[in-house]
Amino acid sequence: MRAVAVSVVVALATLVACGAGTYGRPDAYLTAGSTEVEADRGTSCWSLAPGRRECLDASRPRAGPAGTALRIRRGESVGLRFDRSDDPETLGAALDPAPVGGGDAIGVSVEPSNPTSFVVDVPRGTYYLGMGTDWPQGDMAFSLRVEVV
């Protein structure tokens, strides 16, 4: 009976760890003005539990040209937060006029902290914001279509 109880506790702890906290993949949220939008998760390699690592590939923002976009005024500060309490080890960002790396990406200076913010000062138009993060559990990319007005 005691072995069954220990097994149940271990199974519950594993389920909780894989879904949130230390091992859960982060979500990213961007805010411009009073609007908050969740970024699409991209390619990642993540430790879901000790000894269990999973890599997933993604090729483009799921929102696509007709999907959800964050409207940003040129020169506006954009807030970025992750749904976890720690900071990413590294955080890189770029705005690209093409959905999948057209080679004209414009680097965005952003501090690797949580929460953080950055200024979007590019010509008006549609861009795809790509962000790469590194965490103790692995790496995670995010993307979001933005309309600079």
Side-chain angles (χ1 to χ4, degrees), residues 4-149:
V4 170
V6 170
S7 296
V8 169
V9 169
V10 169
L12 286 174
T14 302
L15 286 172
V16 169
C18 288
T22 305
Y23 294 103
R25 286 186 177 91
D27 288 317
Y29 300 88
L30 292 106
T31 305
S34 62
T35 303
E36 181 175 76
V37 175
E38 182 176 355
D40 291 329
R41 284 183 179 172
T43 299
S44 69
C45 282
W46 201 260
S47 293
L48 300 173
R52 186 168 164 233
R53 188 168 180 86
E54 181 178 76
C55 294
L56 302 171
D57 286 327
S59 62
R60 65 181 55 184
R62 289 188 309 263
T68 303
L70 183 63
R71 289 179 58 91
I72 303 169
R73 280 189 236 101
R74 185 176 182 186
E76 182 175 18
S77 180
V78 176
L80 169 62
R81 71 176 180 84
F82 300 96
D83 67 342
R84 42 187 302 142
S85 59
D86 56 337
D87 296 337
E89 294 174 337
T90 65
L91 170 58
L95 289 162
D96 197 326
V100 183
D104 296 325
I106 301 164
V108 176
S109 178
V110 57
E111 291 293 318
S113 61
N114 183 26
T116 190
S117 63
F118 55 93
V119 174
V120 174
D121 193 13
V122 297
R124 288 175 171 85
T126 300
Y127 295 88
Y128 296 85
L129 174 65
M131 298 178 294
T133 60
D134 290 308
W135 305 82
Q137 297 83 13
D139 58 84
M140 188 82 204
F142 300 94
S143 60
L144 180 70
R145 188 169 61 92
V146 298
E147 298 288 336
V148 178
V149 294

